[in-house]
Amino acid sequence: MIFQFGFYSSLLLITFSQGILYSLLLLRKGIKNGDKSNYWLSGFIFVCSLYVAPWMLGFAGWYDNQPYRDILFYTPFHQLFLFGPLIFFYTQSLLNPNFRFSVNSAWHFLPAVLYLLYSLGMWVYDQLIHHGYYFYADGADKDFDFWYQCCGFISMLVYLVLSIRFYNIYRRFVFQVTSFAESILFKWVKTYLVSFLVLMLLPIALDLLGFIFPEVKTYTGSWWFFLAFSIVMYYIAITAYANPVISKIPFRLSFFDSHPVMLLADDQHPETENVIAVEEDSIPVSDNAEIQEWKIRIEALMEQEQLFKNPELTLSEVARLLQSNASVISKVVNQGFGQNFNDLINKYRTEAVIKCIADGAHKKSTLLGIAFDCGFNSKATFNRAFKKHTGRSPKDYTAV
């Protein structure tokens, strides 16, 4: 097999090889840990690696020699219609342990399948019927056709928006049903979505630079774009492989509901589902008699059982102890206390820390140790919650 090693081909070969390697490592990690989100990310990194291949192989002499030229022409290395769905399903599988890829979800991959058939059709006609270049008479690789690049960009943009919307709903949802929301908000989600946006904007940046520096639009100049693309891909791969967080809260949602709700499975009764309204940051307090009655019961449970000291306390656990369901308790927390479940429990934890400080516990133990004893699971969460409820940092508070 021909491969002409040089500055341009060798650098892309390194990033291409690393992409394939990390794709396999992510696949292995998914199989080993049973984490299906790694399957989707493995596919995404693999498709990214293929995207770099034509420029790498082009500089390695493939466009100038047969049969390698035909391999580059008729193999659709640029699977633009796969980028978006793979990121979209990765986001869902990462955030939702209840996510299952269904037959109805397969239509997301229809454009990619049609493009594969389009590429196959060109090869059949040119090689088996016309016995020469008909579709490739102009000597240009169809993966770089303007219509295909534009449609691919639109596809990626749509799925990026859907992924961001899914994450935003998830973010509000976990504050409604857990007391440890910040630990499962996944800063990694923001990181890879921003990185994906960078991958999308690189071709636009290249075009804009081409108006100022015409040499950028040359074959050699475009190499820098593919190098930048492969570096971002490599960053996503190594960061994703190190991501240890797995969501524990199963749910379902509808993208077509104007007021999205979550269907939370009850751990004690898995055959039932609880509809959890996703509230905004500002929640009005209700003086409804039934709401107030439930509020008193929740307050009594917190004070007597000190449930807030459980760092992994969930809305479902509180509902079980009150012999109710998560839907009712969520409504009571929102309308009775005027805040979400996460903020409510962290308020109880903060008050417990303040009581310990008043009793002089901070003279015998560290503030962080006291915070952990009161149910906080991280220093960052403790500092944010304490300042939110007192207006001061823990250190400033003890200094008074």
Side-chain angles (χ1 to χ4, degrees), residues 94-139:
L94 179 67
L95 299 179
N96 184 10
N98 195 48
F99 172 75
R100 300 291 183 273
F101 183 76
S102 64
V103 175
N104 291 334
S105 302
W107 69 267
H108 290 275
F109 294 97
L110 181 59
V113 172
L114 291 177
Y115 186 72
L116 283 174
L117 294 176
Y118 168 70
S119 301
L120 178 61
M122 288 190 292
W123 177 81
V124 169
Y125 185 83
D126 280 7
Q127 300 297 314
L128 304 182
I129 299 176
H130 187 67
H131 299 292
Y133 289 145
Y134 175 78
F135 288 101
Y136 283 92
D138 58 358

Side-chain angles (χ1 to χ4, degrees), residues 7 50 73 112 140 206 222 232 280 363 378:
F7 174 78
L50 290 183
F73 275 172
L206 179 70
S222 298
V232 176
E280 299 296 335
K363 297 177 182 179
S378 75

Side-chain angles (χ1 to χ4, degrees), residues 306 308-309 348-376 382 386 394 397-398:
Q306 294 192 322
F308 54 85
K309 289 189 176 181
Y348 275 104
R349 291 167 177 165
T350 300
E351 290 173 349
V353 170
I354 292 174
K355 185 177 183 302
C356 289
I357 292 174
D359 293 339
H362 63 293
K363 297 177 182 179
K364 303 176 183 178
S365 177
T366 64
L367 283 175
L368 188 58
I370 296 172
F372 284 163
D373 289 340
C374 293
F376 287 105
F382 167 54
F386 195 94
Y397 190 89
T398 55

Side-chain angles (χ1 to χ4, degrees), residues 5-24:
F5 289 93
F7 174 78
Y8 296 108
S9 62
S10 297
L11 277 180
L12 289 183
L13 175 62
I14 293 173
T15 55
F16 170 81
S17 302
Q18 289 294 305
I20 297 297
L21 175 61
Y22 270 99
S23 176
L24 294 175

Side-chain angles (χ1 to χ4, degrees), residues 170-240:
Y170 167 83
R171 183 181 182 281
R172 297 200 303 270
F173 167 64
V174 293
F175 274 95
Q176 294 291 114
V177 299
T178 72
S179 65
F180 48 93
E182 291 185 345
S183 66
I184 56 173
L185 280 182
F186 296 103
K187 291 181 179 179
W188 160 238
V189 176
K190 295 180 181 179
T191 300
Y192 79 74
L193 288 178
V194 170
S195 300
F196 183 52
L197 178 62
V198 170
L199 291 180
M200 291 174 53
L201 295 179
L202 281 175
I204 298 177
L206 179 70
D207 289 337
L208 292 177
L209 284 174
F211 288 110
I212 305 174
F213 306 103
E215 62 272 15
V216 172
K217 298 297 290 182
T218 63
Y219 188 77
T220 303
S222 298
W223 175 87
W224 291 98
F225 156 72
F226 283 93
L227 179 64
F229 181 96
S230 60
I231 290 173
V232 176
M233 171 201 71
Y234 186 57
Y235 169 74
I236 294 175
I238 59 176
T239 311

